[in-house]
Amino acid sequence: MPVYTCTAAQGSLTSDLKARLAAEITRIHADINHVPPAYVNVVFSDLPADSVFAGGRPATPLILTGWVRRGHPQEEATRLALELSSATARISGVDESRIMVVLQDSPARSAVEGGHVLPEPGEEREWLRRTEA
Amino acid sequence: MPVYTCTAAQGSLTSDLKARLAAEITRIHADINHVPPAYVNVVFSDLPADSVFAGGRPATPLILTGWVRRGHPQEEATRLALELSSATARISGVDESRIMVVLQDSPARSAVEGGHVLPEPGEEREWLRRTEA
Amino acid sequence: MPVYTCTAAQGSLTSDLKARLAAEITRIHADINHVPPAYVNVVFSDLPADSVFAGGRPATPLILTGWVRRGHPQEEATRLALELSSATARISGVDESRIMVVLQDSPARSAVEGGHVLPEPGEEREWLRRTEA
């Protein structure tokens, strides 16, 4: 259901680190937002060094943006962002000062996965029963 | 006015399939959201196989995210997402179980195209008359 | 705090133009949204010519999308989008008719930078005092 995109300068993350990050982002999201891990999508966008800036100068931030269904309690979104930030720092070795996590949302009914309109937060179980039947 | 980004592992889509998908996404959006086709933007982001995950494991989802102006009726956004999902499956040959479509929005007045602030949904005709004069 | 992504067909922007655009986007955002320039992130995504479409046909739009914290007055978001559009045209040499700027937002409390939940608009100064202590 969610889609995470991790953007960084080329060379910031090896293939192995991407795999470990994807696994941990998936675990954290599934745990906090009550989604089966199989429904968590994570992609990595590596950009050339001349294409990444902070403060108007070349830099090496690691930017993790996620789309989630609207309607989760705000305190859970905050906790999700905080846990994603610290996990990303821990696994990638990138100092947390250079890590940015942003969660965006839109209505579950504006998203379709596997041909099915997504369920509202809290209605995952019934949705899974119906769509995986 | 809208911006669609189709993200997939490299090799998922040939140049020909991208062109056909862009044409069909444009047709569907123009039809449902009452926008002239010329104002529909579609881009494709091909990522290396080691950069695309679902369920915390390497995978080959096809993720179509779209930005649209806020204020369209929810049932139309849902219909748009459903039609984009089935059209993407049909054209790409990717099984719909691996396709995800997400529509996000923000106020039309937070977007500028061709130097002009975008019109609210329903005010496209007057906007076009004014900006294309 | 904000994250800007500038997407264009490969070859649209030289390294030098990217650097100048990043500097100007940073300056404009810092000025209008009261954020220290160091906290403005800008990345560029260059896509192959066969991956960029407008009106369902290959094209060369320049698409600048930005994520900002929710809660800035709408008139400031509109002014920000307009200034970003004209600055991008001026610096890149791309005709403004082919430039699209979209600002999206979500709650500041859904974003974490440097390990700290972002401040609401208007509370930047106190946040900086606390986090940079």
Side-chain angles (χ1 to χ4, degrees):
Chain A
M1 302 184 189
V3 180
Y4 285 96
T5 304
C6 184
T7 303
Q10 277 165 5
S12 300
L13 299 172
T14 62
S15 293
D16 179 58
L17 285 177
K18 288 178 188 173
R20 289 170 56 198
L21 268 175
E24 185 66 357
I25 290 167
T26 298
R27 191 193 65 74
I28 292 171
H29 184 95
D31 182 43
I32 295 183
N33 271 16
H34 313 295
V35 165
Y39 289 89
V40 179
N41 302 281
V42 181
V43 304
F44 293 86
S45 175
D46 298 339
L47 300 175
D50 77 346
S51 296
V52 187
F53 297 83
R57 299 208 188 83
T60 52
L62 192 157
I63 302 167
L64 178 62
T65 59
W67 175 85
V68 303
R69 291 167 294 142
R70 188 170 293 166
H72 296 283
Q74 180 62 53
E75 54 269 36
E76 287 186 13
T78 300
R79 183 158 69 92
L80 180 56
L82 282 167
E83 290 202 15
L84 290 170
S85 175
S86 62
T88 300
R90 177 168 39 82
I91 290 170
S92 69
V94 171
D95 194 89
E96 199 169 359
S97 65
R98 291 193 282 124
I99 292 175
M100 168 127 203
V101 176
V102 174
L103 300 179
Q104 295 186 271
D105 64 25
S106 63
R109 285 188 294 151
S110 295
V112 169
E113 188 165 12
H116 301 281
V117 178
L118 290 189
E120 298 295 322
E123 300 179 359
E124 293 84 3
R125 196 167 301 186
E126 164 61 17
W127 184 85
L128 289 166
R129 192 180 308 125
R130 191 157 34 85
T131 61
E132 297 191 335
Chain B
M1 302 185 189
V3 180
Y4 285 96
T5 303
C6 184
T7 302
Q10 278 165 4
S12 301
L13 298 173
T14 63
S15 293
D16 179 59
L17 285 177
K18 289 178 187 174
R20 290 169 56 198
L21 267 174
E24 185 67 357
I25 291 167
T26 298
R27 190 193 66 73
I28 292 171
H29 184 94
D31 181 43
I32 295 183
N33 271 16
H34 314 294
V35 165
Y39 289 89
V40 179
N41 302 281
V42 182
V43 305
F44 294 85
S45 174
D46 297 340
L47 300 175
D50 78 346
S51 296
V52 186
F53 298 83
R57 299 208 187 83
T60 51
L62 192 157
I63 301 166
L64 179 62
T65 59
W67 175 85
V68 304
R69 292 167 293 143
R70 188 169 294 167
H72 296 283
Q74 180 61 54
E75 55 269 36
E76 287 186 14
T78 300
R79 183 159 68 93
L80 179 56
L82 283 166
E83 291 202 14
L84 290 170
S85 175
S86 63
T88 299
R90 177 169 38 81
I91 291 169
S92 69
V94 171
D95 193 89
E96 198 168 1
S97 65
R98 292 193 282 123
I99 292 174
M100 168 128 203
V101 176
V102 173
L103 300 179
Q104 295 186 271
D105 64 24
S106 62
R109 285 187 295 152
S110 294
V112 169
E113 188 164 14
H116 301 280
V117 178
L118 291 189
E120 298 295 320
E123 300 179 359
E124 294 84 3
R125 196 168 301 186
E126 163 61 17
W127 185 85
L128 290 166
R129 192 181 308 123
R130 192 158 34 85
T131 61
E132 298 190 334
Chain C
M1 302 184 190
V3 180
Y4 285 97
T5 303
C6 183
T7 303
Q10 277 164 6
S12 300
L13 299 172
T14 63
S15 294
D16 179 58
L17 285 178
K18 289 178 189 175
R20 290 169 57 197
L21 267 174
E24 185 66 358
I25 290 167
T26 298
R27 190 193 66 74
I28 292 171
H29 184 95
D31 182 43
I32 295 183
N33 271 16
H34 313 295
V35 165
Y39 289 88
V40 179
N41 303 281
V42 182
V43 304
F44 293 85
S45 175
D46 297 340
L47 300 175
D50 78 346
S51 296
V52 187
F53 297 83
R57 300 208 188 85
T60 52
L62 192 157
I63 301 167
L64 178 63
T65 59
W67 176 85
V68 304
R69 292 167 293 143
R70 188 169 294 164
H72 296 283
Q74 180 61 53
E75 55 268 38
E76 287 187 14
T78 300
R79 183 159 68 93
L80 180 56
L82 283 166
E83 291 202 15
L84 290 170
S85 175
S86 62
T88 299
R90 177 169 38 82
I91 291 170
S92 69
V94 171
D95 193 272
E96 199 168 359
S97 66
R98 291 193 282 125
I99 292 174
M100 167 129 205
V101 176
V102 173
L103 299 179
Q104 296 186 271
D105 65 25
S106 62
R109 286 188 294 152
S110 294
V112 169
E113 188 164 15
H116 301 280
V117 178
L118 291 188
E120 298 294 321
E123 300 179 358
E124 294 85 2
R125 197 168 300 185
E126 163 62 16
W127 185 86
L128 290 166
R129 192 180 307 125
R130 192 157 33 86
T131 60
E132 298 190 334

